[in-house]
Amino acid sequence: MNAKQWSMASLAALVLLTAGCGKEADTPEAAGSGDKEMKGEIVMWHSFTQGARNDFMKEAADAFMSKHPGVKIKIETFAWPEFYTKWTTGLQSGQVPDVSTALPNHVVEMLDADAIVPLNDVIDKIGRDRFYEAPLKEGTVDGKNYSIPLYSHAQVMWYRKDLLEKAKLPVPKTWDELYETAKALNNPPEVYGLSVPMGLGDMMATRFLNFYVRSAGEALVTKDGKANLTSKAAIDGINYWVKMYKTTSPSGSVNFKVLDQATLYYQGKTAFDFNSGFQIGGVETNSPKLLDQIDAAPIPKINANDPDRGIETSNVPMVVWKNSKHPEIAKAFVESLYEKERYIKFLHSVPAGMLPAMKDIAEDPAFLDNPTIQKFSGAVKVISSAVDQGTAIGMENGPTLESGILANQGVIEKMFQNIVLKNEPVEEAAKKAENELNQLFKLYQ
Amino acid sequence: MRPVGRSKVGVALLYLFLSLLSVLAVFPLVWIILSSFKTSGEMASHPLAFFPETFTFEYYRRVLNNLHFATNIKNSLIVSLSATLITIVVSSLGAYGIVRFFPKAGKRMTKLLITTYMFPPILLAVPYSIIIIKLGLVNTWTGLVITYLSFSIPYAIWMLSGFFQTVPLEIEEAARVDGAGKWRVFVQVVLPIVAPGVVATAIYTFINTWNEFLFALLLINSSGKMPISVALYSLTGSEILDWGEMMAASVIVILPSIVFFMLIQRKIAGGMAEGSVK
Amino acid sequence: MNSLRTSFKRWNLTGLLFVLPAVLIVVLLLIYPILSSMYYSFTSKNLIRPHYQWVWLDNFRYVLTNPEFYRAFANSIKWTVLSIVGQLLVGFAAALALNKIPRFSGFFRTLLIIPWAFPAIVIAFTWKWIFNDVYGFLPNLLTQLGITSHNVNLFAEPSLVFGAVLFVNIWFGAPLFMVNILSALKTIPADQYEAAMMDGATPWQSFWAITIRHIRGVIGLLLVLRTIWVFNNFDLLYLMTGGGPSDLTTTLPIFAYKTGWGLKQLGVASAITIILLLFLLVVCMLYFRLLNKWEKEDR
């Protein structure tokens, strides 16, 4: 590169710099109050790409528009990974929606990017004390609620009744029992005992490790925001999943992401799996005959007499974006989703998969009156009690950016891969991954 | 000629070699076509079965009806055809200009064009999304077409210069003597001669834009405007992965490309070989 | 005055009009991204945060002291060199064979060209499906034949994964070499071989002196283009393996993507690209030097 080119580059830099400054000057102002007749177009992004949930959102938007003739709602659907790429890149150019669904650790990042607005008014209108507290807390900073919980679900253990019966084995309650049972049922390529997913670009291995660590009463992120992969529980957990991978898992599961993992169970190829109530719908679509043979149990414990502990709960919220020109419309639309009848209809679009974010709805006969929820009443009970106690991975101490890094950067997945593929010693690999995570945490401060 | 081309054993070996390669080349296509007609139970339980036990058109029906793939195909057609058209017009002029009027500078130009290839598309994404917003073309096909020009024009110029070089100067001079201007010579004399090459370049450009994935993923925000490659990607990220739908969708996406490729393969190579040998 | 005018005339206004639109578009579409990447590479630009600072060479220091960068660099070179050599050898062999066989040449060529028409997303999906160790064709076949004791997933075996992705890339890229080399072979006048035979040249000698000599220009250009393409290629590898397992297939573009989009460190990612660009410039200069030499020899 010669001097001329360098000077060109710096000239361009100067131009860009000034352009950037100009942009910052005109910060978007909150739109004026338009309480009486709402008018305008809003864009909603959601990630319900398929089936009844997708239809539901369309209907909800249509209903809202016919009630408010001046309003137009444009809906776009993106699968979660795509959704994430879209809004992070979109933020650069102002290409974000007015209102959208989100995942808890997205919310933390959206807050970091100063991209969303508080929704206290919406929550108060719906009834603040109707909501469960834990999910509300996940989007709360300094008393401001930046997200409103839409539904909740929790990870539980799914098993195959028929396989257990045939082998005359009980439902495992401890991790050791699970290992022995999965090993006994392992009969590839017909059925694998339990697949241990470790794919990069997803958080499955982190999730599995978190199960074990949480069941021991520990967490992957310490109170002062440091990664913790070298506690006894973490090392034991890593060893446990490595052993499980080598015994009962298809070798390709090192590359599995969430869908690969779940599909195996949907198709009757694994005896055990971990998932929320969404598992039911998946099995129903893929192999309806298996529907009578599946059930859920709590996540195993280290010792049978350990107390019940919260493991992993996902509370999927909605957010309203700062970029919105019509936040009042966006908020009104969000509010409309929580009208009792409509809300129950929404929850029933994935029966037993989406549990209410509001206490009164959970006990409402209208909500319980659904064939799937009744058929799987046992599983629903297991999931509901798990929902109560758990948090998102790494959010045991409230919403932090660390939890997002833990889930999104694939450090733990890579650690597992290094152990099972390159035979790295467990403690060494854990130490290395812990350092790497802490380094990444620093990058974000 | 080499003896291997003469002896019968040699020829038989060549056929064997080519047959093996062909099986490898074709197998994935055949496999997804066959699989797209199998039921999901069959795919899971008989991984080695070649022909479907029961033919099902269910996946094609679902892909075309429920998933609105028809819309995505239409979107892809609009974007790819416009990008191709602009590319061909601009590049034909450019390539002819380089070959006829700036033969010396042209050498440097082609090198420069190749250099423009060096910038990894992945890092063009953010600058492009900023340009596109400044132009007010966010989430529009126009915006996408503009980004496609960035990679299709350099390649098209390079391919087309090869074809234009094959046009004998004498023909043009003869036309010029008859009183035709430079533009007329270009349109009425030169273009007809290189027409097959132009068509080949056009189809090649079309396929490249048809298959493009990254920019479409990042620059188009509404599913109603998404081209087909991104729609296909969305399928893999949906809540319930349906292998059958994925296969059917893949077949729908590749078949047109394959037909195009078969039509043009001779031409694509023709231009390149002649261009560079000279 | 007069001489200036004629030189303007020679400067060729019409010719300029022909070239102008193309030049404008190429320049406008590439200058801005390149310059802005250069600029960002000196800043702490974050993908989603609104504010950033000028950090001088920090990003380059961060990249150049990062062992992962060197691993990705090594993977990139391995991936590029082996892919290109493989594509060239397979494509060349197929082209020679097609040129020799008396019949069905068109038929085979049509079949062999099919992989080229696959979009990256379909390539990745299809091969993942074939290699899948639960439902996939290959692992089940190998187990059935007794070659493996249990189903092995090629993308999940550290010793095999690189070979597997290379195989897919060669599968995809060889047809392009084949088609282009084949048409170059067709332009070799047959009488040259006859003359060589009369002179008593062995087939091997005439292969080197005539065949290779004749088509090396085409091969050279193909090498330049494909080297750049493979080196910069992101989607194929990303969609097949995502760079894994355990970074075994992480190349520089994937590393840049993970830094820019995963870690959101756009400044660092820009620095990686600039380094990548400089490296490619050097490689291409070497290629061009070789091509120029050949051209002079041919004259």
Side-chain angles (χ1 to χ4, degrees):
Chain A
M1 193 153 299
N2 58 33
K4 207 169 148 196
Q5 272 161 311
W6 276 117
S7 56
M8 279 248 295
S10 39
L11 188 74
L14 207 70
V15 172
L16 284 170
L17 201 67
T18 42
C21 290
K23 213 168 155 195
E24 271 154 40
D26 50 50
T27 41
E29 226 168 280
S33 61
D35 237 314
K36 280 173 202 149
E37 196 45 59
M38 289 185 287
K39 216 173 158 70
E41 184 180 315
I42 60 167
V43 175
M44 178 199 192
W45 287 4
H46 70 74
S47 42
F48 310 140
T49 53
Q50 283 166 332
R53 287 202 290 180
N54 190 309
D55 297 339
F56 170 85
M57 278 298 171
K58 256 182 249 163
E59 282 163 28
D62 287 342
F64 190 82
M65 286 189 280
S66 63
K67 204 171 157 197
H68 306 277
V71 170
K72 208 171 168 264
I73 302 177
K74 259 181 78 184
I75 296 187
E76 295 302 340
T77 49
F78 303 111
W80 282 123
E82 208 184 322
F83 181 83
Y84 187 73
T85 318
K86 285 278 178 200
W87 80 255
T88 47
T89 316
L91 214 50
Q92 286 288 308
S93 48
Q95 270 294 290
V96 286
D98 296 273
V99 55
S100 75
T101 54
L103 290 177
N105 53 46
H106 289 180
V107 175
V108 184
E109 292 186 33
M110 289 166 185
L111 275 172
D112 182 50
D114 194 19
I116 49 180
V117 296
L119 298 172
N120 293 42
D121 45 347
V122 182
I123 292 168
D124 288 332
K125 265 192 216 162
I126 298 170
R128 180 169 292 272
D129 42 2
R130 292 172 70 195
F131 285 92
Y132 290 106
E133 271 157 45
L136 260 189
K137 233 178 73 187
E138 285 185 351
T140 304
V141 178
D142 300 331
K144 286 184 185 147
N145 313 112
Y146 286 92
S147 65
I148 177 167
L150 185 59
Y151 68 86
S152 300
H153 57 141
Q155 297 286 316
V156 291
M157 181 179 79
W158 288 88
Y159 58 91
R160 282 272 300 276
K161 291 191 276 190
D162 54 335
L163 296 177
L164 282 178
E165 263 161 42
K166 217 164 85 190
K168 300 209 165 61
L169 289 167
V171 178
K173 292 205 165 54
T174 67
W175 290 112
D176 288 337
E177 284 169 23
L178 173 63
Y179 173 73
E180 292 303 332
T181 316
K183 192 173 151 189
L185 299 183
N186 190 42
N187 178 29
E190 286 306 307
V191 172
Y192 291 85
L194 168 60
S195 163
V196 184
M198 304 175 180
L200 298 173
D202 211 333
M203 45 173 266
M204 294 304 282
T206 311
R207 165 172 286 166
F208 275 43
L209 180 59
N210 186 57
F211 291 155
Y212 194 97
V213 170
R214 294 290 292 143
S215 75
E218 301 227 12
L220 292 175
V221 179
T222 62
K223 276 206 175 77
D224 53 345
K226 289 272 183 321
N228 184 7
L229 300 179
T230 45
S231 67
K232 178 167 184 310
I235 298 286
D236 286 351
I238 298 169
N239 276 316
Y240 180 82
W241 290 120
V242 169
K243 184 173 75 174
M244 187 73 96
Y245 170 79
K246 289 185 173 156
T247 321
T248 70
S249 186
S251 75
S253 71
V254 281
N255 291 324
F256 277 9
K257 298 185 194 179
V258 58
L259 263 175
D260 308 302
Q261 171 77 7
T263 306
L264 275 193
Y265 187 83
Y266 296 164
Q267 305 215 325
K269 289 282 183 185
T270 43
F272 289 97
D273 195 10
F274 294 90
N275 201 342
S276 67
F278 277 80
Q279 201 83 333
I280 299 170
V283 172
E284 198 176 5
T285 332
N286 275 266
S287 13
K289 276 183 227 148
L290 278 183
L291 206 56
D292 291 329
Q293 306 301 345
I294 61 167
D295 209 344
I299 288 188
K301 298 168 178 178
I302 308 243
N303 304 301
N305 52 2
D306 283 348
D308 289 336
R309 288 192 172 106
I311 312 282
E312 186 194 340
T313 301
S314 307
N315 304 298
V316 173
M318 301 205 59
V319 294
V320 172
W321 293 74
K322 208 171 187 172
N323 240 353
S324 173
K325 286 200 187 85
H326 304 286
E328 75 289 351
I329 300 180
K331 285 179 178 178
F333 177 60
V334 170
E335 197 187 322
S336 78
L337 295 176
Y338 290 83
E339 282 160 24
K340 188 172 148 190
E341 231 170 88
R342 187 171 292 152
Y343 186 60
I344 289 175
K345 203 175 157 209
F346 171 66
L347 297 173
H348 282 172
S349 62
V350 186
M354 302 196 292
L355 298 181
M358 294 187 286
K359 297 172 218 163
D360 55 314
I361 303 286
E363 285 147 24
D364 199 293
F367 167 67
L368 297 172
D369 181 25
N370 171 283
T372 309
I373 292 178
Q374 294 191 341
K375 183 180 166 101
F376 286 92
S377 61
V380 171
K381 230 174 255 160
V382 170
I383 300 167
S384 304
S385 68
V387 161
D388 275 354
Q389 301 169 19
T391 58
I393 300 173
M395 287 209 191
E396 292 78 14
N397 305 304
T400 55
L401 276 174
E402 283 82 1
S403 64
I405 296 171
L406 199 66
N408 295 335
Q409 298 306 326
V411 174
I412 293 178
E413 283 69 23
K414 208 164 78 189
M415 172 193 80
F416 270 107
Q417 293 183 346
N418 284 338
I419 295 169
V420 301
L421 298 178
K422 292 182 178 166
N423 291 318
E424 266 184 31
V426 168
E427 305 204 2
E428 210 173 279
K431 188 77 214 155
K432 208 172 78 184
E434 188 179 277
N435 287 340
E436 195 180 339
L437 278 171
N438 283 329
Q439 210 116 54
L440 292 179
F441 291 172
K442 248 188 247 155
L443 209 64
Y444 268 77
Q445 273 149 19
Chain B
M1 285 270 173
R2 297 204 288 151
V4 69
R6 291 245 173 102
S7 76
K8 276 199 170 146
V9 183
V11 172
L13 281 177
L14 289 181
Y15 277 114
L16 184 70
F17 170 68
L18 286 173
S19 305
L20 283 176
L21 274 190
S22 301
V23 169
L24 267 182
V26 174
F27 177 76
L29 177 67
V30 173
W31 190 241
I32 58 171
I33 291 179
L34 288 172
S35 300
S36 67
F37 292 111
K38 292 177 188 168
T39 61
S40 75
E42 205 184 325
M43 271 190 254
S45 52
H46 304 293
L48 288 177
F50 220 75
F51 291 101
E53 264 168 41
T54 42
F55 264 91
T56 169
F57 288 92
E58 174 63 16
Y59 300 119
Y60 286 93
R61 199 186 56 73
R62 258 191 266 167
V63 165
L64 288 173
N65 293 351
N66 307 6
L67 297 170
H68 311 297
F69 249 53
T71 316
N72 300 121
I73 291 174
K74 188 198 78 194
N75 298 345
S76 276
L77 276 176
I78 294 176
V79 171
S80 303
L81 284 176
S82 346
T84 306
L85 189 72
I86 299 173
T87 302
I88 288 306
V89 172
V90 172
S91 313
S92 303
L93 290 173
Y96 179 72
I98 291 173
V99 168
R100 268 303 162 264
F101 305 113
F102 306 102
K104 273 234 175 91
K107 269 253 154 66
R108 271 158 204 257
M109 272 286 283
T110 19
K111 276 181 202 169
L112 197 76
L113 287 176
I114 290 174
T115 326
T116 62
Y117 241 55
M118 287 181 204
F119 212 74
I122 182 69
L123 253 279
L124 290 174
V126 165
Y128 275 168
S129 58
I130 295 173
I131 297 184
I132 297 297
I133 184 106
K134 280 187 181 153
L135 293 174
L137 295 173
V138 161
N139 199 22
T140 61
W141 290 324
T142 317
L144 197 58
V145 168
I146 289 179
T147 58
Y148 285 0
L149 295 182
S150 73
F151 63 82
S152 58
I153 288 187
Y155 199 86
I157 292 184
W158 184 69
M159 241 173 106
L160 284 170
S161 341
F163 289 110
F164 283 118
Q165 273 167 13
T166 63
V167 179
L169 247 174
E170 299 80 50
I171 299 185
E172 283 182 57
E173 272 158 6
R176 201 93 52 92
V177 169
D178 291 348
K182 283 175 187 166
W183 292 100
R184 260 187 64 194
V185 170
F186 173 67
V187 176
Q188 294 185 345
V189 180
V190 180
L191 269 188
I193 298 179
V194 293
V198 172
V199 172
T201 313
I203 298 179
Y204 185 80
T205 309
F206 179 84
I207 288 170
N208 271 347
T209 49
W210 177 268
N211 288 351
E212 203 283 333
F213 163 71
L214 187 68
F215 291 137
L217 172 71
L218 294 174
L219 297 178
I220 296 292
N221 277 335
S222 73
S223 41
K225 287 186 180 167
M226 248 171 217
I228 197 147
S229 53
V230 183
L232 204 60
Y233 176 69
S234 300
L235 264 189
T236 62
S238 48
E239 290 146 21
I240 293 167
L241 180 65
D242 196 322
W243 291 103
E245 280 178 10
M246 195 61 204
M247 310 267 180
S250 303
V251 173
I252 294 175
V253 177
I254 11 181
L255 278 187
S257 308
I258 288 182
V259 172
F260 275 140
F261 255 128
M262 287 179 174
L263 292 177
I264 56 154
Q265 39 157 327
R266 214 182 286 241
K267 290 292 176 304
I268 306 176
M272 241 185 97
E274 271 137 25
S276 51
V277 164
K278 283 217 164 168
Chain C
M1 193 65 193
N2 207 6
S3 70
L4 196 70
R5 254 184 130 151
T6 42
S7 75
F8 257 108
K9 222 173 184 176
R10 265 198 229 115
W11 210 53
N12 206 333
L13 203 70
T14 329
L16 210 63
L17 284 178
F18 271 101
V19 184
L20 204 61
V23 171
L24 273 182
I25 290 183
V26 170
V27 169
L28 289 181
L29 279 177
L30 283 151
I31 278 290
Y32 177 80
I34 291 174
L35 291 181
S36 79
S37 287
M38 279 182 184
Y39 166 65
Y40 286 150
S41 70
F42 295 104
T43 69
S44 64
K45 177 86 180 152
N46 180 294
L47 185 64
I48 61 172
R49 287 183 180 169
H51 305 285
Y52 55 90
Q53 289 153 0
W54 187 261
V55 295
W56 297 105
L57 289 171
D58 279 8
N59 293 331
F60 289 92
R61 199 174 303 137
Y62 174 87
V63 171
L64 293 173
T65 54
N66 189 338
E68 273 183 62
F69 167 78
Y70 293 99
R71 233 172 292 146
F73 208 145
N75 278 340
S76 266
I77 291 179
K78 199 164 114 189
W79 157 254
T80 311
V81 171
L82 295 178
S83 295
I84 293 294
V85 169
Q87 292 178 358
L88 175 65
L89 288 182
V90 175
F92 199 177
L96 283 176
L98 285 175
N99 200 32
K100 283 274 154 49
I101 55 172
R103 295 179 63 191
F104 304 119
S105 169
F107 168 74
F108 279 115
R109 195 182 50 197
T110 307
L111 293 184
L112 287 173
I113 205 166
I114 282 176
W116 196 6
F118 274 57
I121 174 99
V122 180
I123 299 177
F125 165 75
T126 308
W127 284 104
K128 267 159 94 174
W129 169 251
I130 293 174
F131 289 160
N132 185 305
D133 54 336
V134 181
Y135 328 96
F137 181 80
L138 190 72
N140 280 297
L141 182 73
L142 291 178
T143 307
Q144 201 105 86
L145 295 176
I147 295 172
T148 51
S149 61
H150 65 285
N151 285 359
V152 174
N153 187 324
L154 292 182
F155 284 161
E157 285 297 318
S159 52
L160 302 175
V161 60
F162 209 89
V165 292
L166 273 178
F167 167 79
V168 175
N169 198 24
I170 292 170
W171 173 86
F172 166 69
L176 190 139
F177 277 90
M178 178 192 81
V179 170
N180 288 294
I181 294 174
L182 180 62
S183 55
L185 287 175
K186 298 255 189 240
T187 63
I188 305 176
D191 52 2
Q192 287 199 8
Y193 287 107
E194 277 151 31
M197 249 180 29
M198 303 258 241
D199 290 347
T202 64
W204 191 243
Q205 277 169 337
S206 61
F207 175 73
W208 278 106
I210 302 169
T211 314
I212 295 287
R213 179 113 189 196
H214 217 93
I215 62 170
R216 67 185 185 185
V218 174
I219 292 182
L221 271 176
L222 278 173
L223 285 178
V224 176
L225 278 179
R226 297 312 287 174
T227 302
I228 297 171
W229 193 89
V230 173
F231 195 84
N232 278 341
N233 177 262
F234 164 76
D235 46 9
L236 191 59
L237 262 184
Y238 186 75
L239 292 169
M240 272 197 295
T241 64
S246 68
D247 278 348
L248 286 168
T249 58
T250 298
T251 55
L252 277 183
I254 291 182
F255 182 63
Y257 176 78
K258 283 184 173 169
T259 315
W261 271 259
L263 291 176
K264 306 195 180 62
Q265 302 296 313
L266 214 54
V268 180
S270 302
I272 298 171
T273 336
I274 299 298
I275 297 171
L276 204 149
L277 189 68
L278 291 178
F279 174 76
L280 277 178
L281 273 174
V282 171
V283 171
C284 286
M285 254 152 61
L286 294 177
Y287 264 132
F288 281 130
R289 192 162 287 181
L290 189 69
L291 284 179
N292 274 344
K293 205 185 111 203
W294 286 351
E295 217 164 273
K296 273 188 196 129
E297 281 174 19
D298 286 346
R299 228 173 254 153

